[in-house]
Structures are given as structure tokens and as C-alpha cells.
Amino acid sequence: RSPGRQERRAGHAVLMDSLIKKGLHLPSLEWLLERQTGLDGKRMKASPWNRPECADMDDAEKRRIWVEERVKTIGASDVPIIMGTSTYSSPYALACLKMGLTEPDHEETENQAFGHKMEKIAVECLLENIQGEVWDPQSYGFMHATMPFNVATPDRFLVFGESLAAAGGARIPIEIKNVGEYMKGDWGTFTVPEQYYDQVQDQMAATDSHVAILLAIIGGNKFYPYTIFRDEYRIALIEKQVSKFWADCQAGILPEPDGSEATTDAMKSRFSAGTEGKKKELTLQARAHVKAYLTAREKLGIFKNAVKALEEKKGANANWLRQFMGDAVEATAGTMKVTWKNETRKARDEKAEAECEELQAAMAIRLGLAYDTALRALTIQPARQIGIDDRTGSLTVGKDADFQVTA
């Protein structure tokens, strides 16, 4: 049975902070060394500016070369786009870039520049709680063993033992994300946004890693460090879909266009200037798309008007009730009850935080996650992930009796 979306990620991502709150420990050096293998140095791909003649290049020129080289491969950040989990681009827009039908953006955005600066802060926060040294691969990429066109470039590596350049010791890829406050709801105790999950899984596949670290700075003031474990099922799907996408690009086959903003922008870039006087006959298939477009436009107009009318009706009734209640906070009539309180900022509720993990598990079960899977995600799996399942994580003779019985 193939696992569902929530179930698939439940056992492969865990918020480090949640382990600390439970009184557990972060993965030990010995545990990591047992599970992490050295990377074959022959698959380390150096960027062009490593050549001696490029030593005097400024950052803008290096970025230009990096962008042009990146178009020639599939990077780990391209994988979510191909898998359909990205919120930033589409398979069609990405294929246009790889096939040279649209031009890449050589300019670094303000968000990207700020994100690079925040990487140093995220690394400092990580090293406050975990052993090891951090290595910045900078201009190095890592080629997938069976897909040499797939080159991953993790932001950092957590390194133990010999240096990475000598292809010795243990190394753990680190991916760092700087996201807005509006995205905080996507980050849970056992879940991360699927697009970043796919990106990190591809990095692990390319670097022969069994574990990776995902650091998220949310809203500029919240630090979420995650341990991501290798998901063979997802990696197999990624390899299959990425291979097909690349083969299609090489053959000049574009994906079907969707209605995303990224695809629309790609269309505008490709066909920005029409040929004066050129006309084309609508085929049967094109006529069917015209009819579907007109139908969708009509329904969308009706829907928008209906939503607007309902919002106004809802607001009018709510305001009438507020006026009726005055300074009362509750009004009742039989089984009907209306309450109204102005929202105010509340102090931190430590009890609610302690119950957060159990609440998330309950919500996951309601969304389709198997009960046994949710129970394991709260008990034995975290224990195994940090190497203490010999004394906790299940009700077994000889283990710690850290459980309670409630009526």
C-alpha cells in the first residue's frame, strides 16, 4: 500500500525542538556516524568560476554564470516544481527555461539577498544545540549517482571527521529557508511544507545521505530546526518523474500548460510580440478550449458575485447582533447561544503547548492518517530516530515507565 501524503511525511520529519521539550536529546554524534556514509568525491561538480581565470570575477558575474549553468541541469530546488508541490513555479515554466524558450532572471531579488544573510544566523542557532562543524560548499554541486543531470547544492553541510574535500568523514546536508509569518501554519511538529520536503529528499539522494537538516526562520523571529529522514518511497517517485521531465526537455516536449501565474508569465515571455497580420485557423481541439474558457469565465463571475453577496449578508447579520448585544458577551434562547468577545493578545499558554503534539496527531487522524501510524509518530519513531528506543518509546518490560493512565 502506498502511503498517503500526511502518513508519508509523519515518520520522516521531526522538529528538533519538540524532542527537547519532551526531555529527549538531539541526535548524538555516534548515532549520526553510524547512519551517514562518505560521499564519493568524483561526483562533486565544481562551478565554472573555480577556474583560475575567473578568480577576479565580481559577485554579479559569478551569479550570471551560476544561473546559466543551472539551466543546464536539474537542481534540487527544481524538483518540487516537477513534482507539482511548488508554490512558486510550474512544470511548464521550468521546461521553458531548461529548453531556452525563456530567459532566466540574472538579478538577485531582495528576498534572496536577505535570505542568504539569514543563513549565517540559522547556522549559529543550530550550532548552539548540536555538535559538529559546518562547511559551506559555495560553488560545489553534487551529482546524482544514476541521474548525472540532477545536481544538488545544499546550503551547508554538518561535518564530522575528516574534511569534506577529502571525501572522508560523515556529512549531513543542511537546507535553510527564510519564510514569511504567513507561512507559519505550514510548519508542524512532524510536518514541513511538501515542496521543501521534496527538495531535501533529492539532496539526500544526490549526496548519499540518510538524514538531512532543514532550518526554517519564520517571520524573522522564529527558528524551527528539523531532522529529515530519507524516504525511499518518495525518492523513487522523484527519480522517475525527474527522469521523464528531463528526457522530454531534451526531446523538445513541453508539459501541458496549467492555469498558474508562473505558466501565464512564461507564455507572456515566449509570445510577447506577435507577428503583424499573422492569423491561424482554430482547430477542433482549440475550439473546445475556447468553449471551456468561456464557460469557466461565466461561472467564475457568478461565483464571485455570489461570494460577495454572502459576505455582505453575513457581515450585516453579525453587526446587527453586535448592536443588539451591546456590552453583553453572551445571549441565549433555548439551545441557541451567541457569544461575542473582542480578540486580545493572550500570554503564552504552556499547557496548550504541551498538548500541541497530541492535537496535531488527532488532526492528522481526522484527515486520514492511520491511528497506529499517528501513535508510532508520537512514541517509538522519535525514540528510534534519536537512538533511545532501547529504554523508551513503547510499553515494554524493562523500559522507562513514562506513561499515565487517565479515566
Side-chain angles (χ1 to χ4, degrees):
R1 182 176 67 87
S2 61
R5 178 175 298 181
Q6 291 284 345
E7 183 179 352
R8 187 181 69 242
R9 290 186 290 160
H12 293 88
V14 59
L15 182 61
M16 291 181 180
D17 190 46
S18 72
L19 302 181
I20 297 173
K21 286 179 181 177
K22 282 189 169 184
L24 306 179
H25 301 286
L26 291 171
S28 67
L29 173 61
E30 292 75 15
W31 185 90
L32 290 168
L33 288 173
E34 287 176 2
R35 288 158 175 80
Q36 198 68 359
T37 59
L39 176 65
D40 181 2
K42 295 179 181 178
R43 298 208 332 258
M44 291 176 64
K45 180 180 175 66
S47 294
W49 64 77
N50 275 353
R51 296 191 299 264
E53 61 268 26
C54 301
D56 296 330
M57 283 185 179
D58 59 22
D59 290 341
E61 184 65 12
K62 286 183 178 180
R63 176 172 173 81
R64 184 188 66 78
I65 294 178
W66 176 77
V67 169
E68 291 177 355
E69 285 294 311
R70 197 171 182 276
V71 170
K72 302 174 184 177
T73 60
I74 297 293
S77 59
D78 294 329
V79 168
I81 303 173
I82 298 170
M83 299 300 292
T85 56
S86 172
T87 58
Y88 301 110
S89 189
S90 68
Y92 182 90
L94 180 64
C96 286
L97 277 174
K98 303 299 181 183
M99 294 166 64
L101 301 176
T102 55
E103 289 295 320
D105 186 2
H106 293 91
E107 296 294 327
E108 186 176 47
T109 66
E110 186 176 3
N111 286 343
Q112 289 172 334
F114 187 72
H116 291 152
K117 293 179 180 179
M118 294 295 285
E119 288 178 3
K120 295 179 181 179
I121 297 175
V123 169
E124 290 176 3
C125 293
L126 174 67
L127 292 178
E128 289 177 358
N129 295 295
I130 197 168
Q131 305 175 55
E133 297 181 0
V134 170
W135 178 68
D136 184 351
Q138 295 182 350
S139 57
Y140 283 96
F142 301 85
M143 292 187 292
H144 193 287
T146 60
M147 300 188 302
F149 53 83
N150 180 201
V151 180
T153 54
D155 292 321
R156 301 288 192 282
F157 279 89
L158 188 64
V159 184
F160 305 103
E162 300 174 30
S163 69
L164 189 73
R171 70 229 49 206
I172 298 168
I174 301 174
E175 184 61 27
I176 305 170
K177 298 298 178 186
N178 179 48
V179 299
E181 180 74 15
Y182 70 95
M183 289 186 66
K184 68 178 182 179
D186 297 335
W187 302 79
T189 302
F190 295 107
T191 57
V192 298
E194 205 165 14
Q195 58 186 334
Y196 302 142
Y197 183 80
D198 283 345
Q199 180 180 353
V200 173
Q201 289 298 329
D202 185 67
Q203 289 178 350
M204 283 191 278
T207 58
D208 297 332
S209 301
H210 298 282
V211 64
I213 294 172
L214 176 60
L215 306 179
I217 294 181
I218 302 176
N221 59 4
K222 297 180 182 65
F223 178 64
Y224 285 18
Y226 288 86
T227 303
I228 310 292
F229 295 88
R230 190 180 178 100
D231 183 344
E232 296 292 356
Y233 175 80
R234 189 61 178 176
I235 288 175
L237 290 178
I238 288 172
E239 291 174 348
K240 180 179 179 180
Q241 204 153 325
V242 167
S243 293
K244 182 182 183 305
F245 177 88
W246 186 251
D248 285 346
C249 287
Q250 301 305 299
I253 303 172
L254 281 168
E256 282 292 313
D258 57 18
S260 67
E261 184 177 344
T263 295
T264 301
D265 289 342
M267 290 286 184
K268 290 178 180 178
S269 179
R270 284 191 67 194
F271 309 113
S272 57
T275 303
E276 185 68 28
K278 185 175 180 179
K279 296 182 179 181
K280 201 169 185 177
E281 184 72 21
L282 286 171
T283 63
L284 286 173
Q285 185 179 18
R287 277 180 269 175
H289 279 283
V290 170
K291 291 179 180 178
Y293 168 80
L294 293 174
T295 300
R297 186 177 66 175
E298 181 182 0
K299 289 183 177 179
L300 184 60
I302 296 171
F303 176 75
K304 284 183 177 178
N305 291 334
V307 169
K308 184 178 179 181
L310 287 172
E311 289 288 351
E312 290 178 353
K313 188 174 182 179
K314 173 187 170 186
N317 283 283
N319 287 332
W320 190 96
L321 288 168
R322 287 179 183 130
Q323 178 177 265
F324 166 76
M325 293 176 67
D327 59 356
V329 296
E330 183 177 306
T332 60
T335 58
M336 185 180 292
K337 181 171 72 172
V338 177
T339 59
W340 177 31
K341 291 182 181 179
N342 283 323
E343 292 292 330
T344 57
R345 184 171 179 176
K346 296 181 179 180
R348 181 175 172 180
D349 190 337
E350 294 184 358
K351 181 179 179 182
E353 284 188 358
E355 295 172 350
C356 178
E357 294 168 11
E358 288 78 4
L359 176 60
Q360 289 190 14
M363 291 175 65
I365 291 171
R366 184 161 186 168
L367 290 170
L369 183 66
Y371 175 84
D372 290 344
T373 302
L375 182 61
R376 289 196 300 272
L378 289 174
T379 54
I380 191 63
Q381 283 182 344
R384 286 174 179 165
Q385 289 165 357
I386 60 173
I388 60 169
D389 55 303
D390 59 329
R391 62 180 180 83
T392 190
S394 62
L395 297 178
T396 305
V397 175
K399 289 190 178 184
D400 295 349
D402 51 353
F403 64 93
Q404 65 179 20
V405 178
T406 59

